[in-house]
Amino acid sequence: MLKYTEDHEWLQQDGDEIVVGITAHASEQLGDVVFVELPEIGREVAKGEEIVVIESVKAASDIVAPIAGVITAVNEALPDSPGMVNDDAMSAWFFRIKPAAGENIDGFMDEAAYNALIG
């Protein structure tokens, strides 16, 4: 089951990790993505910390950590093919994070609530 943040990220539980990407709505708002800088594997992050840089023809943007934890994997294909985000935002994940103790995605929006947010 997918969850969503107000920052237009999607979150998916996969075992004891959370997979994080941006929504199709965010991808459309950005326009053509031309650059992605991913966090280092093993990096410990705080909730709300800026950890990914995305640049598009329209703007530069940051992705923040939706929860505290440790980065366990990154999508190695994205830096070389940033357009994947525009092609299919839901499959172009950015990173996987192992949540810190007590962190989970239960409190984030479901699809209906996210769709209501973006109108």
Side-chain angles (χ1 to χ4, degrees):
M1 172 190 270
L2 288 174
K3 294 286 190 163
Y4 300 88
T5 72
E6 291 182 5
D7 294 324
H8 308 287
E9 298 166 355
W10 58 261
L11 314 171
Q12 184 171 37
Q13 187 82 42
D14 185 17
D16 63 351
E17 298 177 338
I18 309 297
V19 182
V20 181
I22 64 170
T23 64
H25 175 78
S27 169
E28 290 164 14
Q29 297 300 309
L30 282 169
D32 292 335
V33 175
V34 296
F35 175 80
V36 175
E37 181 180 322
L38 298 170
E40 300 233 350
I41 295 171
R43 177 175 166 187
E44 194 169 323
V45 298
K47 181 178 182 174
E49 183 179 343
E50 295 174 353
I51 58 172
V52 174
V53 176
I54 303 173
E55 293 180 10
S56 71
V57 294
K58 289 184 182 178
S61 186
D62 294 311
I63 293 180
V64 300
I67 59 173
V70 175
I71 303 299
T72 58
V74 296
N75 187 340
E76 302 282 356
L78 276 183
D80 293 330
S81 302
M84 291 169 52
V85 174
N86 300 114
D87 295 340
D88 186 0
M90 298 309 287
S91 66
W93 60 281
F94 285 85
F95 60 90
R96 297 173 73 95
I97 186 168
K98 182 169 182 167
E103 294 278 338
N104 62 57
I105 63 171
D106 294 345
F108 292 99
M109 292 180 276
D110 62 14
E111 187 172 7
Y114 181 72
N115 287 333
L117 174 74
I118 62 174

